[in-house]
Amino acid sequence: MRRTVAVRQVAAVNRFGVTGLAVAVLVLALVATACTGGAPSGQGGAGGEPKGVIRIGAAGPYTGDLSKIGLDSLNAIRMAVEEANQAGGVDGYRIEVEVGDDAGDAAQATLVAQKFAADPTIVGVIGPMNSNCVNAALPIYEKAGLVIISQSATNPALTEQGYRVMFRVCPRDDAQGPAAARFIVEELKARKVYMIDDKGTYGQGLADQVEIALKELGATVTRGQIAPTDRDFSAILTRVRQEAPDLVYLALPNPAQAAALLIQARSMKIQTKFMGGDGLKEKDQLIAGSQGAAEGFYVTAIGRDVREVPEAAGFVKAFEAKHGAMSIFSGQSYEATNILIAALRKAGVKDGKVDRAAVRDAVAATSGYRGILGFPVSFDSKGDVLGGSIYVLQVKGPDFVEVKAYPIGGK
Amino acid sequence: MSFFAQVPQQIVNGISLGSVYGLIAIGYSMVYGTLGMLNFAHGEVFMVGAFGGWLAMGLLLPFLSGPTLLLPVTVAASLTAAVVGVATERFAYRPLRRAPRLAPLIAALGVSMFLQNAVMLATGGRAKTYLTSAIVSPDAGVMLGGTFISFLRLMVVAVAALLMLVLDYLVRHTYTGKAMRAVAEDPEAAAWTGVSVNRVVAAAFLLGSLLAGVGGVMVGLLYSQVDFYMGFSAGMKAFTACVLGGIGNLPGAMVGGVVLGLLESLGVAFVSPVYRDVIAFSLLILTLVLRPQGILGRARGQRA
């Protein structure tokens, strides 16, 4: 059946001969140019017809078990870019977002990095979001001189290796660790802590930092691990019940997983305090998703919730009107994108091109940037963010309530 | 010492988890019995069923609560899974019935990815919460010594056992069941005696998917959460249970499920829970090497 069709097509080509083919190619070419030529004018930027296009990469977990957090970040990145385009883009050039999905997986993150590095029109990257992905992709970005601003990779080691292209707008775990430990020991008076992590770079890194700080303060720590895809926690919770700790610390990046764990802990009659890191500070999945089991749960947060920052009110309103309740890293994604765009404007477009090295230097020179995070953003020589505090919050009813603040660096 | 103190609790955990593995494994086994093919999309059918149950629960919650809610939710989940399962067979596998063995296997992987991504897009990648407490309070149960036996886990085991008995009756005593066993024996000879092979295969997918849907609700209630990703690992565990019990053997699938659940739960009492999957898949490899016919063996039990 299929063969006869093919034969007929060949016959048709023969009948029209070479002229037929040439006409077909011409028509195709016309359609193609019409498509590419038509698209930008449809966007309707304030500066009229854009002179051209420059692109930034967005690397993050847009599929897989972290896709909710990833997609909420991508939406924030796109929002920042749309707003910048409405304000004339960069020197009249329109900014486009190139999406690179790493699914939170280090191997995929390197593929995304190679793709971005090889594309000369990409002049800066927001992400990757997961520490393990940054860790794997960083050498590739460094070699290409392509600046990356991560909105959420908190592993301390990332900026300790001398790479020049790495920046982040989130404080490091070693700022979060001591704050969490001080709160556990000084405020909650807990002496015996059980820690659960998911073997990931983020979870294990955070757990290590908290453990070191806890031991310095004289608490005893028992560690347990689960896998990122686990949803049955009966085994580890049976161990927790056996140990009877004063507090269980969840070093997990996925609030949905933590919510399931909290519900199952309640159903096994485990009545102890629970605490977690910044990754779990997510209303929709942790509080609503846990059917009340998260009541009283403590989290440390790197920086203040953008919903509570007056400067961010406009962003929050616009984002939530379009995409619904936002996740923890949406605000930081928006801020990181705006910092990158500001740097692009400073570096400027020359002969239709943007110099990657100039963009990197402009990002590094960011000083006292007043965006929506509620503190002036600068970077130190390693690329770590300066300013801000670590906050401890507690779930009360449908919301997180601030209970304590520790300034970063104020050990 | 503390390790041994957890053993009774881990046995309770293992049996309830294992009976869910068994429910899903039956679908694998049935399809393998009748078609000789591994339906790797079965885990996704289970996942879609779980979401069907979640939807029904959301719709019915204003009107019903308590154990009466369980029946309509389970029925809705089963029907959703059945529609997807039967449609998969009709449109993805039947056209490949005479193709080389690799083709339906690849089709199964394709269906699996399709379903996973379809559900991801439909749910925005978010985990959905099962309001377990609306059916049975998760912390209700009896405390025996240091072991907590929740009514929820008892209910899961009871439902699985009941369905197993019904299924056993169907396969032994109804026309469809006998036809299924005939096709499993020899499809060609069965066709000659007047059995419609297409209908028998469709029936195998239907029954398997119905059970997977029930399994979806049970997992949703136990874990209090469903997401588009849950089908993959559940499918792999069910496959392991299937091989362990003797693939193609229905009581074997159930036995394999419970044994797997028990070994996993007891195993992680002694080593870190991250090794749960290592235990499961080592068991799979060991079974394949040492006793490929599984615990109950194919020769003694009936294939269907």
Side-chain angles (χ1 to χ4, degrees), chain A residues 194-198 222-226 236 239, chain B residues 272-273:
Chain A
Y194 196 97
M195 294 180 103
I196 300 176
D197 71 73
D198 71 340
T222 315
R223 295 277 290 261
Q225 287 188 316
I226 55 175
I236 193 143
R239 289 183 162 207
Chain B
S272 164

Side-chain angles (χ1 to χ4, degrees), chain A residues 213-377:
Chain A
L214 276 173
K215 283 185 171 159
E216 273 173 19
L217 296 173
T220 57
V221 175
T222 315
R223 295 277 290 261
Q225 287 188 316
I226 55 175
T229 50
D230 279 354
R231 286 297 181 275
D232 174 35
F233 307 107
S234 48
I236 193 143
L237 289 173
T238 302
R239 289 183 162 207
V240 168
R241 219 182 50 189
Q242 211 66 39
E243 293 273 337
D246 301 326
L247 181 128
V248 178
Y249 188 89
L250 304 179
L252 303 173
N254 186 350
Q257 190 181 33
L261 192 147
L262 289 173
I263 296 173
Q264 289 174 39
R266 196 182 56 174
S267 75
M268 290 180 71
K269 300 209 184 273
I270 294 175
Q271 277 139 355
T272 174
K273 294 182 182 104
F274 280 86
M275 183 167 183
D278 58 302
L280 300 184
K281 187 175 162 285
E282 218 256 326
K283 263 203 247 185
D284 186 33
Q285 304 227 342
L286 186 88
I287 303 183
S290 69
Q291 307 169 39
E295 184 66 26
F297 186 76
Y298 294 100
V299 289
T300 40
I302 45 183
R304 190 173 253 132
D305 188 333
V306 286
R307 286 186 194 83
E308 288 152 24
V309 178
E311 295 95 311
F315 162 73
V316 175
K317 212 174 145 200
F319 185 96
E320 299 203 328
K322 222 167 150 187
H323 307 293
M326 65 183 181
S327 323
I328 158 98
F329 298 121
S330 304
Q332 271 148 256
S333 303
Y334 181 80
E335 184 93 333
T337 313
N338 280 329
I339 289 171
L340 179 60
I341 291 169
L344 289 174
R345 286 183 174 144
K346 206 151 98 191
V349 188
K350 291 170 190 90
D351 307 328
K353 276 189 206 141
V354 181
D355 182 24
R356 282 180 178 175
V359 178
R360 184 260 157 214
D361 291 342
V363 172
T366 302
S367 170
Y369 179 89
R370 280 236 163 244
I372 60 159
L373 294 186
F375 63 90
V377 176

